Amino acid sequence: MKPRDDSLFGDASDRVESVSEFTRRVKTLLEQGIRPGWVRGEVSNLRAQASGHVYFSLKDAGAQLSAVLFRGDAARQAVKLRDGLQVVAYGEISVYEVRGNYQLIVRAVIEDGVGRLQREFEELKKRLADEGLFAPAKKRPIPALPETVGIITSPTGAALQDFLRILVRRDWRGRIVVLPAKVQGEGAAAEMVEMLRLAQELGIFDLLVIGRGGGSLEDLWAFNEEPLVRAVAACPVPVISAVGHEIDFTLCDFAADVRAETPSAAAELISSRFVECRERLTHAGTALGEQADLALRQAGERLDHARSRLRLLAPKAQLEKGWQRLDELQGRLGAALRHSVQERRIALTRARERFAARPPESRVQQESQRLLALWKRLQSASPASVLNRGFAIVRDEQGKPVTRRAQVKQDGKLSAEFADGTVKLRA
């Protein structure tokens, strides 16, 4: 048995990977190492799924490449794919890990006849960009409220009708001048250059729009021709490029001051500031009307108040007010007098009633009886009455009553008063 040659198997310490891990590493290397790009080939094995995804192969004489066009990208393509069709596809490489196959995720497809135009487009774009023709510093602002707008397009195209319909619907009040020119085919670029020159000579335009509806790269090629691109970039009047649909790009889009996705979008851009100002004016007018109504109402109230005060302060009003006050005071005085007289009458009536209830004769009799009772009480308390009851009053030499034994002096002279006379005594 021959010994194993370990040099064929690498370092014994290398980690063993699963199929999924190894395939994932291949996927990472491919996707990060190969940049997106254009691939030319023939369509074969075309399969359009119900989900909207399209699977096919790109092949040439020496190899074939699996490709997939997912639903969102497929819906945007203008090319109708079929087996045997020569195309140029743009996309990025990816690995379908389940089968271990690499495939091209296609983002755009053009017929192979268009490939030459696409290369010319990219080359001219790079050259003009290197010259600074597309530099942002050269872009001029679009007038917010342009009064006169010139549109360079086909006068019979649907793009012009869409453009005008948007402006009419939004009630834009500016002026539109159509500068007719071919927008497709031989001589189209020259006609549009001539219209740009004419617009500059007329000197009446605030803004120019150049554009047309969507189409293939060949249909839009006039807008990629160098003379027209340079004329757009050099135009002293601000220019909006409105060529094709949202996914369509031309060199005029890069040279113009502003790109609009479609002619309808250009109309909305032109009228947007006007619509905004009109709405602001409407709101301002409404607010101004409300403020005016409020001011008039308040002024009317102040005027009515001033008129009322003026009427009150007028001499005639003052005299009328004085007379009214005098009448009021006269009425109050009369009422007060009547009330006072009435009270006096009531008091007099009550006094009469009381006098009638108590006549003088009964009062005299009562007072006589009270006087007699008082006289009897006085008589019963008099000295004579006391003497009549057997008492005597002892007096000293001066005639003063002796009420204490200590008042009697030895051998002093006294007198005793009885009811019927006085007797001299010696102590």
Side-chain angles (χ1 to χ4, degrees):
M1 182 175 180
K2 294 182 179 181
R4 187 182 68 174
D5 186 359
D6 289 338
S7 63
L8 298 176
F9 301 97
D11 190 351
S13 64
D14 288 348
R15 185 174 66 87
V16 177
E17 294 179 312
S18 67
V19 174
S20 297
E21 290 173 334
F22 185 82
T23 304
R24 194 172 301 117
R25 188 151 59 93
V26 172
K27 173 182 173 70
T28 302
L29 289 173
L30 288 177
E31 292 181 356
Q32 293 181 355
I34 300 177
R35 298 175 57 185
W38 294 91
V39 179
R40 177 182 290 107
E42 177 185 331
V43 176
S44 65
N45 301 320
L46 180 68
R47 304 186 312 280
Q49 302 295 329
S51 61
H53 308 319
V54 178
Y55 298 91
F56 58 97
S57 297
L58 289 175
K59 68 178 183 177
D60 59 14
Q64 72 174 15
L65 171 65
S66 297
V68 58
L69 191 62
F70 290 117
R71 179 176 57 189
D73 295 317
R76 291 194 294 267
Q77 306 307 314
V79 177
K80 181 68 174 178
L81 295 180
R82 65 181 185 278
D83 286 334
L85 180 65
Q86 290 288 332
V87 298
V88 177
Y90 178 84
E92 65 265 12
I93 200 68
S94 179
V95 174
Y96 184 49
E97 299 178 43
V98 176
R99 294 184 180 177
N101 295 336
Y102 75 91
Q103 59 185 356
L104 183 69
I105 308 298
V106 179
R107 302 302 181 187
V109 179
I110 56 178
E111 293 188 43
D112 192 17
V114 182
R116 177 183 56 83
L117 295 178
Q118 186 66 38
R119 287 194 302 274
E120 292 179 8
F121 175 89
E122 296 295 340
E123 291 173 358
L124 181 58
K125 177 183 175 183
K126 183 177 185 306
R127 180 160 57 85
L128 296 178
D130 292 341
E131 292 181 16
L133 203 70
F134 306 149
K138 292 188 175 182
K139 307 299 182 183
R140 290 155 297 183
I142 298 301
L145 296 171
E147 295 182 5
T148 302
V149 177
I151 178 168
I152 301 173
T153 189
S154 170
T156 59
L160 176 61
Q161 301 306 316
D162 294 340
F163 180 83
L164 296 176
R165 183 173 63 254
I166 295 295
L167 294 178
V168 171
R169 178 173 61 81
R170 305 189 80 175
D171 198 24
W172 185 69
R173 299 302 178 89
R175 180 174 58 164
I176 293 294
V177 176
V178 178
L179 300 170
K182 289 172 59 178
V183 292
Q184 180 177 341
E186 185 178 357
E191 289 191 17
M192 288 187 279
V193 170
E194 178 62 23
M195 288 299 102
L196 284 171
R197 185 194 62 77
L198 177 60
Q200 297 174 40
E201 290 182 357
L202 293 175
I204 62 173
F205 298 105
D206 302 308
L207 178 65
L208 291 175
V209 178
I210 183 169
R212 56 154 290 165
S216 64
L217 183 59
E218 293 95 331
D219 295 337
L220 305 180
W221 190 251
F223 294 90
N224 293 320
E225 294 188 22
E226 186 173 354
L228 178 59
V229 177
R230 291 187 178 276
V232 169
C235 183
V237 182
V239 178
I240 295 177
S241 176
V243 181
H245 299 300
E246 183 176 357
I247 61 173
D248 297 324
F249 276 88
T250 66
L251 295 181
C252 280
D253 294 334
F254 298 102
D257 298 294
V258 173
R259 174 188 180 257
E261 291 83 358
T262 63
S264 297
E268 292 180 356
L269 178 62
I270 293 170
S271 58
S272 59
R273 182 62 176 168
F274 172 81
V275 172
E276 179 184 348
C277 290
R278 183 180 61 193
E279 292 176 352
R280 291 179 61 187
L281 285 174
T282 300
H283 294 159
T286 302
L288 181 62
E290 293 174 352
Q291 290 295 322
D293 292 340
L294 177 61
L296 287 174
R297 186 164 58 253
Q298 292 176 343
E301 293 174 355
R302 291 195 298 269
L303 181 60
D304 293 339
H305 181 64
R307 285 174 177 170
S308 300
R309 292 187 61 192
L310 185 61
R311 283 196 297 270
L312 293 175
L313 296 175
K316 181 179 179 182
Q318 294 295 317
L319 288 174
E320 292 175 348
K321 185 177 180 181
W323 283 113
Q324 185 177 5
R325 178 66 174 166
L326 182 60
D327 291 340
E328 181 182 356
L329 292 176
Q330 184 177 0
R332 290 174 61 184
L333 178 60
L337 290 175
R338 288 191 296 272
H339 181 69
S340 178
V341 170
Q342 184 68 21
E343 286 184 344
R344 298 298 184 274
R345 286 177 178 175
I346 293 173
L348 180 59
T349 300
R350 291 176 180 174
R352 285 176 178 174
E353 291 175 353
R354 289 196 303 270
F355 186 75
R358 301 177 65 181
E361 293 81 0
S362 62
R363 181 66 181 274
V364 170
Q365 185 177 1
Q366 290 177 359
E367 294 299 325
S368 297
Q369 291 177 356
R370 191 171 67 86
L371 184 60
L372 179 59
L374 290 174
W375 182 83
K376 288 180 178 180
R377 289 177 61 188
L378 182 60
Q379 287 298 319
S380 63
S382 66
S385 175
V386 173
L387 294 175
N388 286 329
R389 291 199 302 272
F391 292 94
I393 300 174
V394 179
R395 299 180 184 274
D396 59 12
E397 292 180 358
Q398 287 78 27
K400 295 180 180 179
V402 178
T403 60
R404 295 287 186 270
R405 182 179 181 282
Q407 294 177 330
V408 178
K409 297 179 180 180
Q410 188 69 26
D411 295 331
K413 295 180 179 180
L414 299 173
S415 63
E417 182 180 354
F418 296 95
D420 56 353
T422 304
V423 177
K424 299 293 185 177
L425 300 176
R426 185 175 294 274

